Amino acid sequence: TFSVLRGLCRTTDHDNCVQSPNYPAPYNSNDYCVVAVTRDTVLTVVQFDLHCTWYHCEDRLTLGAMAYVGESGPSGVAVAAAVELVFISSGDGRHGHGFYICGGAMLPTAFDIRC
């Protein structure tokens, strides 16, 4: 489901899950990664904790055009193959525990839909 293209994220569970650098320990300043989604899937967030202050969130995970910050990860989001997941942490020295995200069931194709 996932393939790390750049950075320190890692895949687990036979590439069905992806985790931020150092997970479950906090990630570091200026950590980043780019991860390709390799098949159509629905995401399940096991953990999502990116550092945020009450007025600003610099650490973020983007999935296509959508950005996720704080504790609101992309759980239940359907994504197509070839979409990139990008994680960037700031250099401010404060960090969250990161993320652990898995791909779920494959999305049905037109040939899989039964009426």
Side-chain angles (χ1 to χ4, degrees):
T1 306
F2 300 104
S3 176
V4 177
L5 303 177
R6 290 183 298 282
L8 300 175
C9 288
R10 292 186 326 144
T11 60
T12 64
D13 192 27
H14 305 286
D15 297 336
N16 288 318
C17 298
V18 63
Q19 64 189 37
S20 56
N22 295 333
Y23 182 86
Y27 50 85
N28 294 312
S29 295
N30 301 312
D31 272 349
Y32 81 98
C33 64
V34 178
V35 178
V37 176
T38 58
R39 68 177 173 97
D40 297 352
T41 192
V42 176
L43 301 179
T44 300
V45 173
V46 177
Q47 168 83 29
F48 197 87
D49 175 31
L50 303 185
H51 173 71
C52 235
T53 64
W54 64 272
Y55 62 91
H56 188 65
C57 297
E58 291 186 26
D59 300 352
R60 68 188 64 242
L61 179 134
T62 59
L63 186 63
M66 292 297 298
Y68 299 89
V69 298
E71 296 179 359
S72 58
S75 198
V77 173
V79 293
V83 169
E84 288 186 350
L85 178 152
V86 179
F87 167 67
I88 300 173
S89 74
S90 70
D92 71 1
R94 294 173 286 184
H95 316 103
H97 286 276
F99 60 85
Y100 191 91
I101 299 171
C102 297
M106 292 180 66
L107 299 176
T109 64
F111 301 107
D112 294 329
I113 299 172
R114 303 207 186 356
C115 299

